[in-house]
Amino acid sequence: MSDMQNDLRELYQEVIFDHNRRPRNFQPMETPTHSAEGFNPLCGDHFIVYLRVDEDKVVEASFTGQGCAISTASASLMTEAVKGKGLDEVEALFRDIHAMLTDAHPEHRDFGKLEVLSGVREFPARVKCATLAWHTLHNALEQSGEVAKTE
Ligand code: ZN
């Protein structure tokens, strides 16, 4: 592995540790317009995602629950990423993140801070941890009322 890859990996880990230690938007929402529950039985990650949508825009996003470092950091990064975005953008981001995490050769796109999640591609068992919050977000917006499961 090159030094640059090593540096990148360290940076990614740092961001994930930071978001796991101090998750952003980690609180229940009193009056969400959308919410959904997500569960990853392989790891035990279990979250509820809350959204407030106004005029086709996510104006607030938060989550509660418990999970491993990857799932918690992913949920934290997700709530930051979707806040202020239009529903179309959020749906596109869900699809792109899912592709980034699950495709062997994803199309290149600049994911900004969310790029840190790409490190889990090397660990197939952890991919479900990283995608859980995103599946839950997707279900919340679809209002399916189903518990999002990663399988
Ligand atoms: Zn996990």
Side-chain angles (χ1 to χ4, degrees):
M1 192 184 301
S2 72
D3 284 352
M4 202 192 88
Q5 278 174 310
N6 263 326
D7 287 351
L8 256 186
R9 183 176 287 210
E10 269 171 37
L11 173 75
Y12 288 1
Q13 283 179 349
E14 229 169 83
V15 174
I16 287 180
F17 288 148
D18 177 51
H19 276 263
N20 178 48
R21 253 195 322 264
R22 298 185 302 119
R24 318 302 196 265
N25 307 303
F26 187 66
Q27 69 245 333
M29 196 182 289
E30 290 206 347
T31 54
T33 56
H34 300 67
S35 66
E37 188 180 357
F39 182 50
N40 172 17
L42 281 182
C43 179
D45 310 313
H46 189 191
F47 294 111
I48 298 176
V49 170
Y50 307 89
L51 302 168
R52 179 145 53 233
V53 174
D54 187 29
E55 291 182 359
D56 289 335
K57 205 171 177 185
V58 175
V59 290
E60 229 184 306
S62 71
F63 74 107
T64 57
Q66 266 187 334
C68 65
I70 300 276
S71 63
T72 305
S74 182
S76 171
L77 286 159
M78 181 202 76
T79 56
E80 276 193 330
V82 301
K83 214 170 184 175
K85 284 200 166 65
L87 293 182
D88 291 354
E89 269 178 290
V90 169
E91 195 56 28
L93 187 61
F94 162 72
R95 281 197 304 272
D96 288 348
I97 291 285
H98 195 263
M100 172 179 88
L101 293 172
T102 56
D103 288 2
H105 303 287
E107 258 178 70
H108 188 75
R109 183 190 148 172
D110 183 7
F111 286 104
K113 212 194 224 179
L114 295 169
E115 195 81 40
V116 302
L117 297 173
S118 66
V120 305
R121 257 198 326 252
E122 294 169 49
F123 310 99
R126 311 314 300 275
V127 167
K128 290 175 196 271
C129 300
T131 56
L132 176 63
W134 297 86
H135 281 292
T136 311
L137 166 82
H138 180 70
N139 274 12
L141 289 173
E142 300 260 291
Q143 295 279 39
S144 69
E146 281 170 30
V147 176
K149 282 221 180 104
T150 49
E151 289 178 288

